[in-house]
Amino acid sequence: MYKKTDKSDNRVTINTLAKLKQQGEKFTCLTAYDASFAILLDNAGVDVVLVGDSLGMVIQGHDTTVPVTMEHMIYHASCVASNLEHALLMVDMPFMSYTNIEQALKNAARLMQEGGAQLVKLEGGRTQLDIVRALADRGVPVCAHLGLQPQSVHKTGGYHVQGRTRDAAQTMIKDASLLEEAGADILLLECVPDLLAQEITSNVTIPVIGIGAGGNTDAQVLVLQDILGITPGRPPKFSKNFMAGKGSVREAIDAYIQAVKNGRFPAEEHIFS
Ligand code: KIV
């Protein structure tokens, strides 16, 4: 096991992220599902660690995130939480764990109390406003996930870039504002055209994290296994193998952080138009 450094006085909060947005400084997010990678990311200075329900694919070997349960999320979140001293811990609410206010409050509380989450992420736009408001009113920090929503993949029929038509783009712009008004602290945009992500990022005052959303969001997130080049099959267009030419996992993570902060990632070839 890696030795942890003492960064406890340097903990990232949602206020830190809001300040970074105001200052025009990019911040970084990567996924982790276990203690070893959590410590590596934390020591490297990643700002937000996401225990994503992508663990359904990355850890469990499923085709989608749909089979992931609350118990899985709590287990992996708790493996990560106790090993972070710097990064903010964001945890996904899994499929069907927030279908009404009562259920969402109960499950968000479990992710925070049993999993150690400091911010919960849920998918959906205007249909989630009451849930986001209920969570926010009770002191639960929320990240609202717009654009490609992997939990709906069986309904949408695949993993496609979202917001390409004028109507879909207008709906997403409006949803982003409504979610901010409802109390969301962060937005995450997945697989949306560069210009749309740019417009949403400048329309809202809360920080926007992008994945496949171009270079103008306030932050970037990628799946750790993708940047280490160990995801089986063809890597997603929006990702980059930062392990190439590097001697260690830590060097690859450092390169990702630098590239995001300097605006060198994402490059043209990672962006949707
Ligand atoms: O589950 C996850 O890892 C995610 C990211 C891909 C944004 O939601």
Side-chain angles (χ1 to χ4, degrees):
M1 187 54 74
Y2 309 92
K3 175 117 177 54
K4 289 195 265 180
T5 56
D6 184 16
K7 294 178 180 165
S8 43
D9 56 345
N10 190 22
R11 192 104 214 191
V12 175
T13 68
I14 52 167
N15 297 341
T16 319
L17 305 180
K19 201 184 269 176
L20 289 171
K21 174 169 180 132
Q22 281 162 18
Q23 294 168 345
E25 273 182 58
K26 304 265 186 209
F27 62 89
T28 54
C29 179
L30 282 170
T31 59
Y33 319 104
D34 66 32
S36 302
F37 280 130
I39 294 169
L40 260 173
L41 297 186
D42 205 45
N43 285 343
V46 167
D47 299 295
V48 181
V49 169
L50 169 64
V51 179
D53 59 359
S54 52
L55 69 84
M57 285 105 122
V58 178
I59 303 294
Q60 299 173 332
H62 299 297
D63 288 341
T64 75
T65 59
V66 172
V68 178
T69 66
M70 276 297 298
E71 303 311 318
H72 298 150
M73 294 309 300
I74 289 169
Y75 171 74
H76 287 282
S78 66
C79 293
V80 170
S82 53
N83 290 288
L84 298 182
E85 295 181 348
H86 161 77
L88 182 75
L89 178 59
M90 172 154 74
V91 180
D92 267 337
M93 300 199 65
F95 181 61
M96 288 294 159
S97 68
Y98 48 100
T99 59
N100 58 57
I101 290 175
E102 191 186 350
Q103 185 198 31
L105 291 175
K106 181 169 151 267
N107 284 328
R110 288 195 69 199
L111 290 181
M112 294 179 84
Q113 293 181 315
E114 299 172 51
Q118 295 166 315
L119 178 72
V120 300
K121 176 160 82 61
L122 52 81
E123 296 181 8
R126 60 194 66 190
T127 52
Q128 306 296 7
L129 293 178
D130 288 346
I131 285 171
V132 170
R133 200 172 292 111
L135 290 166
D137 285 351
R138 288 162 182 84
V140 178
V142 179
C143 173
H145 183 148
L146 288 174
L148 173 60
Q149 294 162 34
Q151 291 174 10
S152 304
V153 65
H154 294 307
K155 180 75 179 165
T156 53
Y159 298 100
H160 308 298
V161 179
Q162 301 294 307
R164 274 192 159 146
T165 65
R166 200 181 138 80
D167 279 359
Q170 289 308 323
T171 300
M172 209 184 299
I173 291 166
K174 182 72 186 162
D175 282 4
S177 295
L178 291 171
L179 286 160
E180 176 174 23
E181 276 167 37
D185 300 279
I186 311 268
L187 282 181
L188 187 144
L189 299 179
E190 179 164 356
C191 291
V192 305
D194 187 28
L195 289 178
L196 173 58
Q198 182 174 8
E199 184 166 351
I200 291 173
T201 304
S202 60
N203 265 0
V204 295
T205 63
I206 54 176
V208 178
I209 305 177
I211 176 165
N216 293 299
T217 54
D218 303 304
Q220 297 291 326
V221 59
L222 286 175
V223 169
L224 179 62
Q225 280 73 1
D226 287 347
I227 75 160
L228 300 181
I230 54 176
T231 304
R234 193 159 56 96
K237 171 183 164 70
F238 54 74
S239 190
K240 176 176 171 178
N241 178 0
F242 282 90
M243 233 3 239
K246 298 291 182 304
S248 69
V249 170
R250 173 61 191 263
E251 280 181 40
I253 295 166
D254 288 344
Y256 167 75
I257 293 173
Q258 284 313 311
V260 171
K261 290 200 183 282
N262 298 339
R264 279 183 286 107
F265 177 83
E268 206 48 49
E269 67 265 30
H270 309 117
I271 290 174
F272 299 110
S273 49

